[in-house]
Amino acid sequence: MRVRYHGPISRGLCGARGRGPAGATWQTDRVSPEPLLRIAGLTKRYGAVTALDGLDAEVPSGRTGVVGANGAGKTTLFRILLGLARPTSGSVEVAGVSVAADPIAVRSRLGYMPEHDCLPLDQTAADVVATFGELSGLPPRAARRRASEVLDLVGLDEARFRPIGGFSTGMRQRAKLAQALVGGPEVVLLDEPTAGLDPAGREEMLALVARLGSFGISVLMSTHLLDDVQRVCDHVLMLDAGRLVVSGPTGSLLAGTGSVTVDVGHGQAADRLAAELTRRGLEADVVDGLVKAAVDGEGQLDVVRDAIADLDLPLFRLGSGLVTLDEVFLARVGPR
């Protein structure tokens, strides 16, 4: 699958900052039947250190969060996808194309936003992004025009002729995103895109990431901030010490288990309900006078309801909540 550009990119996404009419302008020639990533037995060792350890996963198109603590192997995976590192063993394909067999074809599909500052500080954003456009194969005039459009997209239209050295952290992050998008990639790799941002800057960056899908652009977002992934990603790839913890749709991971908080009054009423729910097979405890019970599906909610009714207890409040990705991660790998 290749992405073709048909008009001003800023018209589709700059709504993230409240400007411009909606309407995506990126189109794909076809929808690839292949998964976005197919990883088989991927292992990477640096001497005695194993950065990736027999990774097996299939990742669909869309927005995927690659999550894990520092040192989990996220950046190593990105380096292999970009052809900057070779795996010790195993293989990885991007949209059906083997990275080992045709790294140039894979790289032509990718845009990359690195974690650390990498742009020349004495150059203007317009010059830097246009240069990356030319490196991706655009003629100079088209690269300059596209640079203007993507800088408008990321909210740097009024700062495009300022040297990057005078930018704030948030502006530098958006400039890095602009250079990742200027070549019209099929997939963008975002390495810690919200690192160092204040709350407002983080919201703006996540809004931009969330809108990329309307352009037919898939996203692989590496981060240790699981809340960011929970908010904008459709799929999650969790790593720990180079090993795969879990891979799956974000919604199914969050819906797989949850809890309810029940207020039946303090004292013996809460203790009686917790004991009854435990007798009926649920995990239940009294925390700050409220009964917290782990439930999985409507059937176990019925168990809670029936227990309250059978004990003839008053019900002041019943609240349900899904677990967070942080809780899923800790349940799989344990506390640090």
Side-chain angles (χ1 to χ4, degrees):
M1 179 172 70
R2 298 296 296 150
V3 175
R4 206 168 52 217
Y5 180 67
H6 290 273
I9 183 172
S10 60
R11 291 175 57 190
L13 288 188
C14 67
R17 294 181 59 83
R19 296 191 304 276
T25 55
W26 295 86
Q27 298 179 7
T28 58
D29 293 333
R30 62 185 177 87
V31 177
S32 172
E34 299 286 346
L36 179 66
L37 291 184
R38 181 181 284 122
I39 303 170
L42 190 63
T43 299
K44 178 61 180 178
R45 297 188 182 93
Y46 296 96
V49 177
T50 300
L52 293 174
D53 191 0
L55 208 61
D56 290 292
E58 286 195 357
V59 177
S61 298
R63 297 185 302 272
T64 295
V66 183
V67 302
N70 292 331
K74 306 185 299 295
T75 298
T76 298
L77 176 60
F78 277 16
R79 287 177 57 82
I80 291 174
L81 290 173
L82 292 164
L84 301 177
R86 293 185 177 182
T88 304
S89 61
S91 64
V92 58
E93 297 178 356
V94 178
V97 180
S98 168
V99 174
D102 199 346
I104 300 302
V106 170
R107 197 177 302 175
S108 70
R109 299 167 180 253
L110 303 178
Y112 177 49
M113 175 183 171
E115 175 182 3
H116 302 292
D117 282 345
C118 60
L119 304 181
L121 303 183
D122 60 340
Q123 300 294 309
T124 69
D127 286 340
V128 169
V129 176
T131 298
F132 276 95
E134 290 188 52
L135 290 173
S136 72
L138 291 173
R141 182 174 296 180
R144 179 67 61 174
R145 182 174 61 251
R146 185 85 65 85
S148 177
E149 291 162 359
V150 294
L151 287 167
D152 182 60
L153 156 66
V154 301
L156 293 178
D157 51 315
E158 297 180 358
R160 69 187 67 193
F161 298 121
R162 288 172 49 189
I164 292 175
F167 282 8
S168 66
T169 299
M171 294 169 71
R172 293 187 189 188
Q173 290 293 91
R174 296 200 296 274
K176 288 192 295 181
L177 178 60
Q179 64 78 27
L181 294 173
V182 69
E186 181 179 333
V187 186
V188 288
L189 311 182
L190 309 180
D191 199 350
E192 302 286 354
T194 61
L197 298 183
D198 60 25
R202 181 184 175 205
E203 291 294 326
E204 291 177 348
M205 180 61 70
L206 292 177
L208 285 169
V209 172
R211 290 172 180 259
L212 290 179
S214 65
F215 287 72
I217 301 174
S218 291
V219 175
L220 290 176
M221 183 173 77
S222 167
T223 182
H224 64 279
L225 300 175
L226 298 181
D227 182 58
D228 288 358
V229 173
Q230 187 168 328
R231 291 176 56 188
V232 302
C233 292
D234 310 308
H235 196 89
V236 180
L237 192 70
M238 286 187 177
L239 304 178
D240 180 55
R243 297 184 178 90
L244 180 66
V245 175
V246 66
S247 175
T250 308
S252 66
L253 291 175
L254 299 179
T257 182
S259 63
V260 293
T261 301
V262 188
D263 184 359
V264 291
H266 294 269
Q268 293 185 350
D271 293 332
R272 289 173 59 203
L273 178 59
E276 179 63 19
L277 292 176
T278 300
R279 189 185 70 80
R280 299 189 185 201
L282 301 185
E283 295 182 10
D285 295 293
V286 179
V287 180
D288 296 330
L290 303 176
V291 178
K292 294 187 179 293
V295 297
D296 187 2
E298 293 293 333
Q300 292 188 346
L301 284 173
D302 292 342
V303 172
V304 176
R305 178 201 63 196
D306 294 344
I308 295 171
D310 292 345
L311 293 174
D312 195 25
L313 295 174
L315 178 60
F316 299 106
R317 182 168 64 90
L318 174 64
S320 62
L322 298 173
V323 296
T324 65
L325 285 179
D326 298 80
E327 293 169 321
V328 172
F329 184 82
L330 289 174
R332 299 293 182 118
V333 305
R336 296 299 182 185

